[in-house]
Amino acid sequence: MIAAVLFFGIVPTACVANEATQIRNVLFIIADDLRANVLGCYGDAICKTPNLDALASRGMLFNRAYCQGTSCAPSRQSMMFSRYQGVGPVNLGQHFRENGWYSARVGKIYHMRVPGDIIAGTNGLDVASSWTERFNSPGLEAHTPGDYACLNLNEFTDSLENRQSTKMPHRMFVSVQYDGDGSDQADYKSASKAIELLREHADERFFLAVGLVRPHYPMVAPRQFFEPYPWQQMLLPPQQTGDLDDIPRLGLASTISSKNPIGKYPDNQKRMWSAYYAAVTFMDAQVGRILHELDQLGLRETTAVVFTSDHGYHLGDHQFWQKSNLHEQVLRVPLIVSAHGYPAGKSDSMVELVDLFPTLSDLTGLEVPASVQGKSLVPVLRDPSTVVKKHAISFHQGYSLRNDRWHYMRYRDGSRELYDMNTDPGEFDNRASDPLLVETISDLDRNLDRSLLEFGIQPSGRDLKGE
Ligand SMILES: [Ca+2]
């Protein structure tokens, strides 16, 4: 253990080394289906996220953080095991627990069906080896009494009968606004439990993982959280004629405006934005409650605080809804790491969710297990300009490689997308067939395959015999 502390990434300046050793605990908070660019600290001018903005102002905000899986289950598993695909012998919570930390889960860390497992109060696909203790936070979700809407079906009612709760694709268009303080909601209960556990375990080393389920549908929040976002004032994502013509079949989202009733209701698309924002602000308020308690207990200086999401979300960009495709709005996640003794700032370094396991091990002086495939971000926490990796890799129907300039997707049938993110950040112009970019694609293929092989994955979507 001592050797690990000495050898794992501690730079030889006494000052920083001393500061780093003060971090004993981890407070890990993950939101669900949260796209990075709706947070105030990521540049959204409308959405109110004061608590996350405050966390970002005292920590490191990662502008280029990417998930490896494009839906809850694969992304969360990959993050917790720090494996690009599949599982390893040890996961993040287990690593802390087996080294003497109190390790607890509150809410959704591994996959849980939302809303099914939330309504039932069940564990979902939780991995028990991770935790000393675990706590579920049940809630009524779409069945919360109040003003219910199923926006793709254009249904608005306060009746509790026949609400869309688990049926696809309708469930993803459900919102409920109601009179209340939110204390009946799952995320409020998770924050309350987290506060209780912080008080109980303030005197021992802890790894406390809190999984909030908003803004994942159904977008339920007290009325006052909707009020800052009148739907009439919401702006829909810009569209381009023929946008989908150059996206291969495997690159399309499964829910597309032109093939779903939501396409007929532009006003309801605006209501989706309003409800998503309301759910984000409600989630932010719960983060605020937890962080307030951390301060009250005087634990801020000894606790690394991490905030992220399992993946992003489409709200009508490219006419796409939800997740499960390789475009930027799905792959890019918010990531804020705040640890006393490390400077506040913003980093454009390319980072991935698989990097959290080694980062948190490194911050608390734990050895990084050999099965871990991510890289410690502690060097970036010290200096935001540090580059720890050239690109991020993600998986769905094939692969995505995202580097400083390019976003390249190669699907399992060999079809491709390529976007110049410097000039086309909205990903409208697929340049995979551009004859001027043959060399570029060949380089990207080589880099992608090299990384896949390094992580024990046999590349597909490409004839490798010519190499
Ligand atoms: Ca999710």
Side-chain angles (χ1 to χ4, degrees):
M1 184 72 67
I2 299 300
V5 173
L6 293 174
F7 287 116
F8 274 83
I10 303 294
V11 297
T13 45
C15 168
V16 173
N18 285 340
E19 300 276 25
T21 52
Q22 289 180 7
I23 300 296
R24 304 163 66 231
N25 314 309
V26 176
L27 172 59
F28 175 78
I29 306 176
I30 183 166
D32 202 348
D33 289 20
L34 173 64
R35 57 194 264 161
N37 63 0
V38 296
L39 299 182
C41 50
Y42 278 87
D44 192 302
I46 298 169
C47 196
K48 297 185 189 320
T49 53
N51 297 292
L52 288 167
D53 299 351
L55 180 67
S57 72
R58 63 195 292 170
M60 189 64 70
L61 179 148
F62 290 88
N63 267 321
R64 288 176 173 159
Y66 292 91
C67 60
Q68 278 54 73
T70 64
S71 59
C72 302
S75 173
R76 288 161 184 264
Q77 176 180 282
S78 164
M79 175 185 76
M80 289 299 284
F81 284 90
S82 188
R83 304 284 296 181
Y84 286 84
Q85 296 271 268
V87 299
V90 60
N91 63 67
L92 178 57
Q94 179 187 4
H95 189 48
F96 279 102
R97 185 179 61 75
E98 289 179 347
N99 281 284
W101 268 254
Y102 170 77
S103 169
R105 165 178 76 75
V106 179
K108 175 176 173 176
I109 298 298
Y110 294 92
H111 182 47
M112 279 182 184
R113 291 170 305 127
V114 180
D117 282 315
I118 305 305
I119 294 170
T122 38
N123 288 324
L125 299 180
D126 190 39
V127 178
S129 64
S130 308
W131 319 114
T132 316
E133 287 190 287
R134 54 183 179 171
F135 304 91
N136 298 330
S137 304
L140 289 175
E141 298 293 82
H143 308 285
T144 301
D147 292 334
Y148 160 95
C150 184
L151 293 164
N152 72 325
L153 299 177
N154 201 36
E155 286 176 4
F156 300 87
T157 178
D158 60 3
S159 167
L160 286 168
E161 302 297 312
N162 301 316
R163 291 191 174 188
Q164 295 292 341
S165 188
T166 54
K167 200 166 151 196
M168 285 296 271
H170 309 310
R171 68 183 187 194
M172 77 174 76
F173 296 101
V174 166
S175 69
V176 179
Q177 44 186 313
Y178 71 105
D179 297 316
D181 62 3
S183 58
D184 55 328
Q185 295 301 309
D187 284 352
Y188 191 101
K189 293 176 189 175
S190 290
S192 299
K193 176 53 80 174
I195 289 166
E196 193 183 312
L197 294 177
L198 286 174
R199 289 175 186 161
E200 265 177 49
H201 298 278
D203 295 332
E204 59 186 307
R205 293 181 298 181
F206 62 81
F207 172 77
L208 176 56
V210 185
L212 303 173
V213 294
R214 299 284 94 83
H216 193 296
Y217 60 76
M219 294 166 284
V220 186
R223 212 175 291 286
Q224 58 270 27
F225 289 90
F226 282 77
E227 274 160 9
Y229 314 116
W231 66 264
Q232 298 90 339
Q233 292 175 21
M234 296 294 112
L235 298 175
L236 297 177
Q239 304 291 334
Q240 247 179 37
T241 311
D243 177 23
L244 302 190
D245 296 350
D246 61 359
I247 299 182
R249 186 179 56 86
L250 293 177
L252 296 171
S254 53
T255 306
I256 301 177
S257 296
S258 57
K259 296 175 182 165
N260 183 285
I262 193 70
K264 290 188 296 189
Y265 304 115
D267 286 353
N268 288 355
Q269 295 177 30
K270 293 183 180 179
R271 288 185 172 96
M272 280 292 291
W273 275 89
S274 171
Y276 191 83
Y277 277 162
V280 171
T281 299
F282 183 73
M283 179 276 296
D284 176 84
Q286 309 320 315
V287 173
R289 292 176 59 221
I290 301 168
L291 294 180
H292 177 72
E293 187 64 24
L294 195 70
D295 285 335
Q296 291 298 108
L297 293 166
L299 290 171
R300 192 71 89 128
E301 295 196 350
T302 52
T303 305
V305 181
V306 177
F307 177 83
T308 190
S309 172
D310 54 358
H311 49 76
Y313 208 69
H314 280 304
L315 285 163
D317 336 79
H318 309 283
Q319 306 182 49
F320 293 166
W321 296 89
Q322 226 202 355
K323 48 207 175 187
S324 299
N325 69 82
L326 292 175
H327 294 93
E328 179 82 352
Q329 295 295 359
V330 174
L331 297 187
R332 185 178 180 225
V333 291
L335 177 61
I336 302 166
V337 180
S338 167
H340 182 71
Y342 295 86
K346 294 187 177 183
S347 174
D348 288 329
S349 282
M350 196 63 62
V351 305
E352 302 173 290
L353 288 183
V354 286
D355 300 330
L356 291 177
F357 190 150
T359 302
L360 295 173
S361 301
D362 201 351
L363 275 173
T364 51
L366 276 178
E367 193 170 348
V368 179
S371 60
V372 158
Q373 292 183 325
K375 296 237 184 346
S376 171
L377 303 179
V378 168
V380 189
L381 295 178
R382 292 204 184 94
D383 172 1
S385 67
T386 307
V387 174
V388 293
K389 54 182 63 179
K390 293 276 175 53
H391 54 244
I393 307 268
S394 311
F395 299 82
H396 181 78
Q397 304 282 20
Y399 318 107
S400 155
L401 182 151
R402 176 74 163 90
N403 67 22
D404 257 4
R405 178 173 179 189
W406 299 104
H407 188 187
Y408 177 54
M409 297 87 130
R410 189 178 81 208
Y411 298 101
R412 55 182 164 74
D413 64 359
S415 59
R416 289 150 206 262
E417 293 178 67
L418 177 64
Y419 300 99
D420 184 338
M421 301 303 280
N422 288 347
T423 59
D424 181 25
E427 305 185 321
F428 288 110
D429 183 16
N430 177 7
R431 300 184 64 191
S433 308
D434 188 333
L436 296 174
L437 294 175
V438 170
E439 275 300 306
T440 300
I441 290 181
S442 163
D443 281 350
L444 290 164
D445 271 328
R446 206 166 15 249
N447 290 333
L448 173 61
D449 292 338
R450 194 182 296 138
S451 283
L452 292 171
L453 290 167
E454 182 189 339
F455 303 128
I457 302 157
Q458 195 56 45
S460 67
R462 179 166 180 241
D463 181 1
L464 294 166
K465 287 198 287 285
E467 293 293 298

